[in-house]
């Protein structure tokens, strides 16, 4: 009986930890995600590589452009790509919702 209680307690703790790590985006390594999945087109400096610019990337360091786009638009674009631009790959299948949300402040930081 007692061991059952301990097992259920451990289970609760484990579930809590898992849930916790999903809620707090701080655990997500946006630098690695950016380097592995985004820098190819957007460049380490956010301005866009020559390949990226050919595809139609915007300059992430451009404050005016940043101000013209909302966080929701960013999340939507990263998740679904741009239906009018085939060169923009949707990341909805490659990154979790939390990872995509965590990329928004990372992209914003280029214009700071
Ligand atoms: C294959 C090249 C490519 C890769 C890889 C890529 N992007 Fe993009 N990205 C683009 C292009 C092209 C656009 C411009 C899309 C448009 O507005 O037509 C864009 C636009 C964006 C925008 C602006 C969206 C908007 O609504 O204005 C954000 C934010 C963005 N990318 C983030 C990312 C992140 C984060 C990653 C990595 C997870 C990534 N991109 C990977 C090509 C790429």
């Amino acid at each position: 009986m007692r061991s059952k209680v301990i097992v259920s307690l451990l289970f609760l703790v484990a579930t809590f930890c898992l849930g916790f790590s999903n809620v707090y985006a701080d655990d997500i390594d946006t630098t690695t995600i950016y380097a592995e999945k985004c820098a190819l087109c957007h460049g380490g400096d956010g301005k866009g590589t020559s390949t990226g610019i050919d595809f139609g990337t915007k300059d992430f360091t451009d404050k005016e452009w940043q101000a013209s786009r909302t966080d929701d638009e960013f999340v939507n674009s990263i998740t679904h790509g741009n239906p009018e631009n085939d060169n923009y790959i949707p990341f909805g299948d490659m990154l979790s919702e939390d990872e995509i949300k965590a990329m928004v402040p990372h992209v914003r930081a280029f214009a700071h």
Side-chain angles (χ1 to χ4, degrees), residues 33 37-38 40-42 52 55-58 60 65 69 73-74 77-78 82 85 87-89 91 95 103 107:
I33 295 177
K37 300 204 161 66
C38 320
L40 174 74
C41 293
H42 292 288
F55 285 164
T57 51
K58 309 293 190 299
F60 287 167
W65 172 78
R69 308 291 298 161
E73 282 171 327
F74 277 4
S77 304
I78 301 168
N82 178 350
N85 183 346
N87 296 321
Y88 194 20
I89 319 168
F91 283 92
L95 296 173
M103 290 319 287
V107 169

Side-chain angles (χ1 to χ4, degrees), residues 22-26 28 30 33 71-72 74-76 78-79 91 95-108:
N22 282 338
V23 171
Y24 289 93
D26 290 355
I28 296 169
T30 57
I33 295 177
D71 289 357
D72 283 349
F74 277 4
V75 168
N76 192 48
I78 301 168
T79 310
F91 283 92
L95 296 173
S96 73
E97 227 181 292
D98 287 330
E99 284 171 328
I100 290 174
K101 283 188 189 145
M103 290 319 287
V104 173
H106 191 97
V107 169
R108 295 282 185 210

